[in-house]
Amino acid sequence: MNQTSTLLRVIITGATGMVGEGVLHECLEAAEVAEVLLLNRRPSGIQHPKVTEVVHADLFDLTAVENQLIGYNACFFCLGMSSVGVSKEEYYKTTYELTIKVATTLSRLNGNMTFSYISGAGTNSSEQGGSNWSRVKGKTENDLKLLPFKQVYNFRPGFMLPTPGLKNTLNFYKYINWLYPVLRPLFPGAFGTLKELGQGMINATAYGYPKQTLEVKDIRAAAERKP
């Protein structure tokens, strides 16, 4: 295992959502992370010595803020949406087109960047069959690998136990969290924690990981990976 010789300067998208907030929380705690730039469509209200924020409503066109996105060696792309209740066209535009648009810009500006994408358990890498969301996620994963990043990691979390104390935890989790200690031992490949996801993303970027696609068990292993 190779230890990184460079501290991470991370761009995070989606920090106003539950997953992005959880990943940010781990970055603020991690010695491996020196700086965090939040790329948000609306202000997050987050203030911390490590944090800078760029608020830009149209993430499809980053031209006006490109000069603020240079000099970073990692991106944790946590921006996403549920496929429930949205059209296939809207889901494709937000999940695939937006992700690839942002990633293409970042790969051009930062050739030494490692890009980590939060996908989902059940993603279909073949892009054939299965549900629409799994095919779209699979295409997104595949096309990210074609961009000229230093490395691309696709994270596929399942159920994630929220990190206590964070403000953007979805309400329904308080009704189902009690199931976690019962079900994780029975289904270790489906149940993880938001803390593990954040730590796994940091450690894979800082110390490497032998797979580009990380399922729940890989995320847990990456979270424990140290030099």
Side-chain angles (χ1 to χ4, degrees):
M1 189 187 313
N2 295 323
Q3 181 178 0
T4 182
S5 59
T6 305
L7 289 173
L8 302 183
R9 302 186 71 231
V10 182
I11 294 175
I12 297 179
T13 66
T16 56
M18 180 183 124
V19 175
E21 183 188 28
V23 171
L24 170 62
H25 177 77
E26 299 309 317
C27 287
L28 299 184
E29 298 288 320
E32 292 88 349
V33 178
E35 299 178 43
V36 176
L37 183 142
L38 304 181
L39 179 58
N40 287 329
R41 290 176 289 194
R42 63 181 188 274
S44 67
I46 295 168
Q47 295 185 343
H48 189 279
K50 284 187 181 182
V51 172
T52 302
E53 185 168 28
V54 171
V55 178
H56 186 68
D58 184 8
L59 298 186
F60 282 96
D61 184 1
L62 296 172
T63 305
V65 296
E66 280 191 2
N67 63 327
Q68 299 178 67
L69 308 178
I70 297 171
Y72 292 85
N73 57 14
C75 177
F76 297 159
F77 197 91
C78 306
L79 184 64
M81 69 183 303
S82 171
S83 63
V84 177
V86 299
S87 68
K88 289 183 178 181
E89 292 75 17
E90 182 181 357
Y91 185 75
Y92 183 86
K93 181 177 180 180
T94 301
T95 301
Y96 175 78
E97 292 181 359
L98 180 59
T99 303
I100 296 299
K101 186 70 174 179
V102 172
T104 299
T105 298
L106 293 180
S107 68
R108 173 169 53 82
L109 297 175
N110 301 286
N112 196 42
M113 174 174 278
T114 295
F115 191 94
S116 296
Y117 173 62
I118 296 185
S119 184
T123 293
N124 189 330
S125 298
S126 74
E127 304 178 32
Q128 303 294 321
S131 61
N132 178 67
W133 77 262
S134 69
R135 296 192 300 271
V136 174
K137 287 278 193 178
K139 179 173 175 58
T140 306
E141 288 185 357
N142 292 339
D143 287 1
L144 284 171
K145 294 177 184 178
L146 302 177
L147 294 175
F149 287 112
K150 176 183 177 181
Q151 181 62 279
V152 170
Y153 292 112
N154 292 309
F155 287 78
R156 295 180 174 182
F159 176 91
M160 288 179 287
L161 184 70
T163 302
L166 301 187
K167 66 180 182 180
N168 291 322
T169 300
L170 300 176
N171 286 333
F172 73 85
Y173 276 93
K174 65 184 178 182
Y175 300 109
I176 61 175
N177 282 346
W178 66 272
L179 291 169
Y180 179 82
V182 177
L183 295 178
R184 174 153 167 163
L186 298 175
F187 306 101
F191 286 78
T193 69
L194 187 49
K195 182 179 182 69
E196 289 170 342
L197 177 63
Q199 291 180 337
M201 296 177 84
I202 293 166
N203 290 347
T205 303
Y207 307 117
Y209 196 77
K211 299 179 182 179
Q212 277 190 280
T213 301
L214 288 82
E215 306 285 355
V216 174
K217 290 183 178 180
D218 296 301
I219 293 171
R220 188 174 305 130
E224 298 172 353
R225 196 173 178 85
K226 292 293 183 181

